[in-house]
Amino acid sequence: MAFGEMADVVIVGAGPAGSSAAHYLAQYGLDVLVLEKAVFPRDKICGDGLTPRAVSELIRMAFPIPESEGWVRNYGVRAYGGGHMIEVPWPDLVSQPNYGSAVPRLDFDCRLIRHAQKSGARLREGVTVTSVVKDSRSGRVIGVKARNTAEKGTEFTVRARYVVDAGGVSARIATAAGREKNPRRPMGVAVRTYFESPLASTDMMESHLELWAGKPGSSELLPGYGWVFAVGNGLVNVGLGTLSSTAKPTGIDYRKIFRTWIENVPEEWGLNEETRRGKLRSAALPMAFNRKPHYADGLALVGDAGGMVSPFNGEGIAYALASGRILAGYIAQSLGRMTLSRQDRVMREYPRELRAELGGYYTLGRVFAALIGRPEIMHLCVKYGLPHPTLMKLVMKLLSDTYDRHDGDWMDKLITALTKAVPKA
Ligand SMILES: Cc1cc2nc3c(=O)[nH]c(=O)nc-3n(C[C@H](O)[C@H](O)[C@H](O)COP(=O)(O)OP(=O)(O)OC[C@H]3O[C@@H](n4cnc5c(N)ncnc54)[C@H](O)[C@@H]3O)c2cc1C
C-alpha cells in the first residue's frame, strides 16, 4: 500500500492519554502525529475531577494550573453516608501534592493538546481513524487509515513505526486489531451535568457514598456513589456513577436515579432544574485493565482504550496521563534499537511496568467492585466505618490512590503490602 503521510508515531485521539503521550514523545524529539475526530474545543462526558495523583502528572508535564487563571483547588474529600459526614484532607505525600483540582473537560483537554503541540507534536483535528494497516506478511501494525470529516470525507493513510490507540472507551483501533475487552473486568457507567450553585467555591470534593433508588433509607440501595465538584465560574459538576463487577448491562435507569438523588443532596447546594446548566449525559468507564495486551505488534494502548479507569473511584485522567508518559519513554528507548525484535523487547516493558505499578491495586479494586456490587455490604461499611477518622483516612487513601509507594507512613505501607500480596490484574 502507498502511504500518504509518515510519522514516527501516530496517536489516535487527543484526550488526556493521547496528549500526554504526544507531549512526551515530542520532547524526546520524535515526529508524532495526533489524529482527533473532534475539533477543539470539544466536550467529554466526565466528572472533571483531578485528584492529587492527576495533578502530580500535570506537574511532571510542566502544565501550569494557576488559580489566577481560574483553576480551582480542592484540599480533600467530604463524604456522606449512613447518616454521617466526614472530611478527609488529601494526605501530605512525597509523590503527590496535597491538593487536587477540577476544570471542565471542554477547556482542560483543549489546553492539554495545545501544550503537546507547543512541545512539538502535530495535530490534525476533524480526522476519524477508521482502521489499522497491517504488514501483509508479519501482521504487524504499520499505520492507520483515516477519513477527513471536515473535507468531504477524503481518505488517507499514515505510516508510522508505532500506532497508539488513545481513542477512549470505544477503542476502535484496538478492536479493529482484534483486541476485545475482557467482559469479566468491572465496568462503570456514570452520568453528569453542571449546575450553578451558591457553594461553587467549596474547596472539598463531595462524595455521597450511598445511592438510593428512591427515598433514602426506605428504598433499594444501588452499587455506586454520587459526587459534587466545584469547577470554577460559579459551576459545580454533579454526577453519579454505578459499578458492575462485570461488563454485563445492569438495566439501571441512571437518569431516574440521578433525579431522585439530586432531590436528596443537601439543599444549600441549590441543585434544581432552574440552576442546571447543561444536559445530563452518560458514558461508560472501562476498568482494571479490561483490554489487553497494552502493547503487541506495533500497536500500544493508553488510557481508557486500555481499560485503565480505577475500579475504586472511577478516576481515569491520572492513569491516562501516566500511561502516555510511561509509553513514550519506552517508545523513545526502543527506537534507538536497530531491529524490530530488539525494539519489541523494549516495548514489552511497557505493559510490564503498567502491571507492576497498577496491577495489584486494580486487583484490590476488583474485590472492592464485587463488594459494593452488594450494596447492603456497602451500607454496613459506610454506617460503621464513617464515624472512625483513622479508618476513613486509610480508606480514602486506598480509594483515591493517594499513597506513597515508597517510604510512606504505616497506611501507605499497608496498602502497598496488600497490592503486592494479590495477583496482578
Ligand atoms: C460521567 C463520567 C465521569 C467521570 N469523572 C471522572 C473524574 O472526575 N476524574 C477522572 O479522573 N476521570 C473521570 N472519568 C473518566 C475519564 O473521563 C476518562 O478516564 C478519561 O477521559 C480517559 O482519557 P483518554 O484520553 O483515555 O480518553 P478520552 O478522554 O475519551 O479521549 C479519547 C479521544 O479520542 C478521540 N477518538 C476516539 N476515537 C477516535 C477515532 N477513531 N479517530 C480519531 N479520534 C478518536 C475522541 O474524540 C477523544 O477526543 C469519568 C468518566 C465519565 C463517563
Side-chain angles (χ1 to χ4, degrees), residues 12-19 35-38 40 42 44-51 54 105 109 127-130 165-173 189-192 205 227 229 240 281-286 302-305 308-309 313-318 320:
V12 181
S19 291
L35 302 176
E36 165 57 54
K37 68 179 178 191
F40 286 99
R42 65 103 181 87
K44 155 78 179 85
I45 305 161
C46 187
D48 306 329
L50 300 169
T51 59
R105 294 287 296 272
D109 287 26
V127 168
T128 301
V129 177
T130 50
D165 189 348
V169 62
S170 66
R172 184 168 177 177
I173 298 316
V189 175
V191 294
R192 73 96 171 96
M205 291 176 135
W227 70 78
F229 302 158
L240 60 86
R281 298 180 68 199
S282 68
L285 297 105
V302 284
D304 279 15
M308 297 188 198
V309 173
N313 65 354
E315 174 184 13
I317 297 170

Side-chain angles (χ1 to χ4, degrees), residues 181-201:
K181 65 171 183 270
N182 180 346
R184 291 196 303 279
R185 292 288 154 100
M187 193 67 147
V189 175
V191 294
R192 73 96 171 96
T193 186
Y194 295 97
F195 289 87
E196 226 171 84
S197 166
L199 298 188
S201 57

Side-chain angles (χ1 to χ4, degrees), residues 200-417:
S201 57
T202 180
D203 59 5
M204 298 297 265
M205 291 176 135
E206 285 220 352
S207 273
H208 295 248
L209 301 176
E210 289 178 319
L211 217 49
W212 298 92
K215 211 169 164 336
S218 58
S219 60
E220 191 196 347
L221 252 183
L222 298 169
Y225 81 105
W227 70 78
V228 185
F229 302 158
V231 292
N233 291 328
L235 294 179
V236 288
N237 181 317
V238 184
L240 60 86
T242 61
L243 187 59
S244 165
S245 57
T246 66
K248 266 196 264 159
T250 56
I252 294 171
D253 182 345
Y254 299 98
R255 284 160 197 277
K256 188 165 157 240
I257 305 293
F258 185 85
R259 278 194 300 273
T260 311
W261 174 63
I262 283 296
E263 283 164 20
N264 296 304
V265 168
E267 219 171 280
E268 57 268 29
W269 280 100
L271 311 182
N272 54 55
E273 276 310 300
E274 271 129 57
T275 56
R276 182 151 70 87
R277 301 285 172 268
K279 286 188 181 155
L280 183 64
R281 298 180 68 199
S282 68
L285 297 105
M287 296 172 163
F289 292 154
N290 81 339
R291 198 184 297 271
K292 289 208 247 181
H294 290 128
Y295 175 79
D297 304 324
L299 174 65
L301 317 185
V302 284
D304 279 15
M308 297 188 198
V309 173
S310 165
F312 281 115
N313 65 354
E315 174 184 13
I317 297 170
Y319 307 106
L321 296 171
S323 57
R325 165 177 57 80
I326 297 168
L327 174 71
Y330 287 112
I331 289 184
Q333 288 295 342
S334 80
L335 290 178
R337 309 297 199 273
M338 295 307 285
T339 63
L340 275 184
S341 69
R342 284 188 181 148
Q343 289 172 5
D344 272 358
R345 223 174 105 211
V346 176
M347 289 305 294
R348 281 195 290 276
E349 287 298 297
Y350 167 61
R352 196 205 51 74
E353 183 170 338
L354 283 180
R355 249 183 120 221
E357 175 76 6
L358 292 167
Y361 182 69
Y362 283 173
T363 299
L364 294 178
R366 290 176 66 195
V367 175
F368 172 79
L371 276 180
I372 76 157
R374 297 185 51 198
E376 68 280 9
I377 296 184
M378 180 73 173
H379 179 61
L380 289 177
C381 294
V382 165
K383 190 168 168 195
Y384 296 106
L386 227 58
H388 299 283
T390 308
L391 177 65
M392 285 315 292
K393 199 175 157 196
L394 172 69
V395 170
M396 284 303 167
K397 275 182 175 240
L398 176 66
L399 261 53
S400 56
D401 196 349
T402 43
Y403 66 98
D404 277 327
R405 263 68 164 168
H406 311 283
D407 266 350
D409 62 14
W410 70 266
M411 293 188 191
D412 300 357
K413 288 192 173 101
L414 177 64
I415 297 171
T416 306

